[in-house]
Amino acid sequence: MENVTRIVIIGGGPGGYEAALVAAQLGAEVTVVDRDGLGGASVLTDCVPSKTLIATAEVMTNFDSSYEELGIIVEDGTPDPERPARVVGVDLGRVNRRVKRLALAQSHDITASVTRAGARVLRGRGRLEPHQAPDGTRRVAVELADGGEERLTADAVLIATGGKPRELPDARPDGERILNWTQVYDLEEQPEELIVVGSGVTGAEFAGAYQALGSRVTLVSSRDRVLPGEDPDAAAVLEDVFRRRGMNVMSRSRAASAKRVGDRVEVTLSDGRVITGSHCLMAVGAVPNTSGIGLEEAGVKLKESGHIKTDRVSRTSAPGVYAAGDCTGVLALASVAAMQGRIAMYHFLGEPVAPLNLKTVSANVFTDPEIATVGYSQADVDSGRIDARAVKLPLLRNPRAKMQGIRDGFVKLFCRPGTGIVVGGVVVAPRASELIHPISIAVDNNLTVEQIANTFTVYPSLSGSIAEVARQLQTRKAAEEG
């Protein structure tokens, strides 16, 4: 046992637990130090809970928007003529209890997988000690959750401490009326009027979900449009859907403060306007959990934002110290965190490894409709970062979309002009997260539009639009060559 490599992982989110599984399978002695439960924010307070809530909202939307067109009749008593009844209602307390139950179950499943693989899980808060020992090892001090302290020796340390919601000085969440995205699952009653501050991915997802659940939603966006970091065509479709469904989208409106006034919340904008609601959700980004754990003292360089500087194999500036996930600020996706963690372990343990390639990452915004992307973007093409051709095909032309009453959305592909190699794509549709995968395979394997166009698709199917777009790009390429 003398030659066993010792790995200590601080943080049990996707970056941490995936690294633990890899390292344990490769024969290392692994200890995961985690404070809140394996799965991290992704499982306990972010991805799993929010997408569970959104799953309920999705069912509500399907009933509200499609039942008449599809010929479905729902008997719901005699509605009040002053306030027509919704087809379905929601018990938010019950929804949130299910959200928490599923998140906890997922965390327990991950813990079981990690311990079954042979890793040890320590409940507590880890801190990197300042100096590397003469033999090259590192020390981690663990403040145990049940009291006391344990000191661990490691040949390599992985920092995977994640992030937390950013707070505005004049809009501190109180957990009751002014909320961050980790606190919404404590609500027992539906917010009557919800103000969502921030129109990035988190803000847009929650705004759309609560609108579908029956809240009157105001979305405060400091930018010209919702989802400023996403494909502009996709963002335009989503904003149009939001407005059509009754959401008050306030563009170019920056929130300066939020305060409780009795059982109401007042949000003051930077231009002096004041809007009020029953609740306010602050979705203004995240900050990394990198302070107070000894990083800089141990020689780990941080960016101005507080994120850890890493290279493409997850190394930090300190020998023997790696980092993965949201604390690195590379790309705030669970899939990227997991890949960073796996790459770190493969690299340190001497296994063949390919550096992180962000141009093959697929991502999804879980709004309704969903927005899925992979590879190079419209912004990359418009800025000249890559020379590519693009074709966009509205889903309105797709026969399966017609059958399902889907009016909004499209498929867009980007390909290189000479070779026809697919370099990116966007899908805006229900379940776009499932439809993006064939495009991801194409991008990752340098497939051409000809190859996609000539592959059989099911008729009728939404995925048929992917092949149709490829055929249009193929035709355009042939015309240019002719």
Side-chain angles (χ1 to χ4, degrees):
M1 293 295 291
E2 290 180 8
N3 296 324
V4 171
T5 303
R6 295 159 296 183
I7 304 288
V8 173
I9 297 167
I10 304 177
Y17 75 73
E18 287 285 352
L21 290 171
V22 165
Q25 287 160 5
L26 292 174
E29 179 186 288
V30 183
T31 303
V32 182
V33 180
D34 184 77
R35 188 176 55 184
D36 302 315
L38 291 198
S42 175
V43 168
L44 295 169
T45 60
D46 193 354
C47 296
V48 170
S50 65
K51 280 43 172 182
T52 306
L53 178 77
I54 287 165
T56 299
E58 190 176 77
V59 174
M60 299 281 287
T61 301
N62 288 342
F63 266 100
D64 271 3
S65 62
S66 300
Y67 76 102
E68 287 183 349
E69 182 176 339
L70 298 181
I72 297 170
I73 299 172
V74 180
E75 296 292 343
D76 64 339
T78 305
D80 179 353
E82 298 299 318
R83 187 177 179 184
R86 297 190 58 163
V87 178
V88 287
V90 68
D91 179 342
L92 190 64
R94 190 171 175 183
V95 170
N96 281 338
R97 285 190 291 277
R98 176 175 183 262
V99 165
K100 291 178 179 179
R101 189 171 66 250
L102 290 178
L104 204 58
Q106 181 70 7
S107 179
H108 288 161
D109 286 348
I110 292 166
T111 303
S113 296
V114 169
T115 52
R116 196 163 51 242
R120 178 188 181 210
V121 178
L122 266 184
R123 190 73 179 267
R125 180 181 171 85
R127 180 184 174 86
L128 194 59
E129 295 195 345
H131 304 295
Q132 192 174 20
D135 63 357
T137 58
R138 291 276 179 182
R139 304 283 190 274
V140 174
V142 182
E143 185 184 321
L144 298 171
D146 55 3
E149 185 175 276
E150 185 170 335
R151 295 179 78 244
L152 305 172
T153 299
D155 297 296
V157 176
L158 175 71
I159 310 296
T161 47
K164 59 188 175 186
R166 187 167 76 91
E167 294 183 359
L168 299 182
D170 295 321
R172 301 283 186 195
D174 61 12
E176 294 178 358
R177 294 284 172 178
I178 303 173
L179 309 158
N180 63 37
W181 68 75
T182 71
Q183 298 169 330
V184 294
Y185 310 109
D186 294 324
L187 290 174
E188 282 294 320
E189 294 184 358
Q190 180 77 27
E192 191 174 330
E193 300 167 278
L194 178 65
I195 301 167
V196 178
V197 176
S199 64
V201 173
T202 301
E205 287 183 347
F206 277 111
Y210 278 101
Q211 179 82 14
L213 294 175
S215 299
R216 290 195 294 277
V217 176
T218 296
L219 180 59
V220 179
S221 172
S222 62
R223 308 289 284 274
D224 290 343
R225 57 179 171 87
V226 301
L227 296 174
E230 298 296 320
D231 180 89
D233 292 330
V237 168
L238 187 66
E239 185 165 336
D240 178 60
V241 169
F242 278 175
R243 293 183 190 276
R244 206 168 65 228
R245 290 178 181 164
M247 189 183 299
N248 177 22
V249 180
M250 300 180 68
S251 304
R252 295 181 292 279
S253 302
R254 186 178 295 276
S257 67
K259 65 177 181 179
R260 283 187 66 164
V261 180
D263 60 356
R264 304 282 293 171
V265 178
E266 285 187 357
V267 175
T268 302
L269 305 181
S270 54
D271 61 7
R273 287 178 295 165
V274 177
I275 53 177
T276 65
S278 62
H279 296 76
C280 175
L281 171 63
M282 302 300 298
V284 289
V287 294
N289 293 321
T290 53
S291 61
I293 56 173
L295 296 182
E296 290 180 290
E297 296 87 340
V300 176
K301 290 183 180 175
L302 305 181
K303 304 172 189 175
E304 280 187 27
S305 60
H307 293 96
I308 299 170
K309 289 184 178 180
T310 55
D311 64 13
R312 289 176 61 203
V313 290
S314 305
R315 288 178 296 192
T316 72
S317 56
V321 181
Y322 292 74
D326 288 6
C327 64
T328 67
V330 170
L331 206 55
L333 294 170
S335 58
V336 173
M339 185 64 76
Q340 287 177 293
R342 289 191 291 262
I343 285 172
M345 294 300 100
Y346 288 134
H347 183 267
F348 183 75
L349 296 169
E351 295 292 312
V353 62
L356 185 67
N357 179 11
L358 296 179
K359 280 303 161 197
T360 61
V361 174
S362 55
N364 194 70
V365 183
F366 288 86
T367 46
D368 181 33
E370 293 181 359
I371 299 171
T373 54
V374 66
Y376 284 94
S377 66
Q378 187 71 56
D380 292 326
V381 176
D382 293 344
S383 66
R385 202 169 298 129
I386 186 171
D387 184 13
R389 300 287 180 266
V391 164
K392 181 180 75 170
L393 184 69
L395 282 184
L396 270 174
R397 301 185 197 174
N398 181 290
R400 186 68 185 275
K402 290 186 178 80
M403 295 169 194
Q404 293 182 305
I406 298 168
R407 298 186 185 87
D408 304 293
F410 61 81
V411 174
K412 182 195 288 189
L413 286 183
F414 303 99
C415 77
R416 298 286 280 166
T419 60
I421 290 173
V422 178
V423 293
V426 182
V427 179
V428 180
R431 297 287 196 276
S433 48
E434 313 294 344
L435 290 168
I436 198 67
H437 190 237
I439 304 176
S440 297
I441 292 172
V443 170
D444 203 33
N445 291 280
N446 297 317
L447 301 184
T448 65
V449 290
E450 284 85 358
Q451 288 171 304
I452 294 176
N454 293 328
T455 300
F456 279 102
T457 58
V458 171
Y459 183 88
S461 67
L462 295 183
S463 59
S465 287
I466 297 172
E468 179 59 31
V469 172
R471 280 190 284 274
Q472 291 191 19
L473 275 167
Q474 186 181 13
T475 302
R476 179 177 294 188
K477 176 174 171 283
E480 288 171 353
E481 288 173 351

